[in-house]
Amino acid sequence: MKSQAQLIAKFGDPYNDRLGFERKWMVLWIVPADIRAAIPCLPSRIYLNRLIRDVLEKTLRKLIELGLHTEIVSYDGVFNIRPKRGSSGISLHSWGIAVDLNAGLNPFRGKVTWSASFLKVWRDIGWICGADWSAASKDGMHFQWENY
């Protein structure tokens, strides 16, 4: 996983220069109608880092193709400038490169309810899954992109 220093070097510090960061990196993704029809809990627009727009769409389309999209019952956010939960540092959500899904079913440090096949799609495309972390930091709702 990338260090906070590496993230700041790549994207800048969203706490100290939010406007500059957002102008350079953040985009409003209009979620395609067919994806929203298949996964109705998704909003029509998602504000995210431009580097994950295409890979998130690819991931969602693969889940739909395999019939695994029905596991997604809530969208719980991408961009949120905040401290990292459970430890020091800045959350990857602060750079708009992490997605939370099914937070109520996959709480921080709680049980992970995703199927192995669902998680495999995310991993195979290159996402880091919070479901894979140790019990002390397990975060089943969390998927982060660091392949930039």
Side-chain angles (χ1 to χ4, degrees), residues 12-23:
D13 186 338
Y15 272 104
N16 293 320
D17 183 16
R18 181 177 180 148
L19 187 58
F21 163 74
E22 288 190 56
R23 282 183 176 156

Side-chain angles (χ1 to χ4, degrees), residues 2-15:
K2 304 271 194 233
S3 71
Q4 185 169 306
Q6 289 171 307
L7 290 163
I8 290 172
K10 171 73 178 180
F11 299 115
D13 186 338
Y15 272 104

Side-chain angles (χ1 to χ4, degrees), residues 85 102-114 119 130-142:
R85 193 173 34 192
N102 290 13
L105 298 174
N106 296 282
F108 183 60
R109 296 184 180 147
K111 181 180 177 185
V112 175
T113 62
W114 303 113
L119 292 172
D132 297 332
W133 298 341
S134 71
S137 61
K138 191 168 293 293
D139 197 0
M141 73 182 86
H142 183 85

Side-chain angles (χ1 to χ4, degrees), residues 37-111:
I39 310 171
C41 65
L42 292 179
S44 60
R45 299 174 298 175
I46 298 176
Y47 194 51
L48 45 64
N49 190 303
R50 62 183 169 82
L51 294 182
I52 73 163
R53 178 183 52 212
D54 293 343
V55 74
L56 181 57
E57 182 172 340
K58 175 182 178 180
T59 305
L60 295 172
R61 289 192 182 285
K62 186 65 174 181
L63 292 167
I64 293 165
E65 174 189 326
L66 296 173
L68 298 167
H69 64 289
T70 59
E71 293 188 40
I72 301 172
V73 297
S74 73
Y75 165 81
D76 300 290
V78 172
F79 181 62
N80 182 11
I81 298 176
R82 64 174 175 79
K84 188 183 293 187
R85 193 173 34 192
S87 66
S88 64
I90 301 172
S91 167
L92 269 75
H93 290 281
S94 301
W95 288 284
I97 57 173
V99 180
D100 284 346
L101 300 167
N102 290 13
L105 298 174
N106 296 282
F108 183 60
R109 296 184 180 147
K111 181 180 177 185

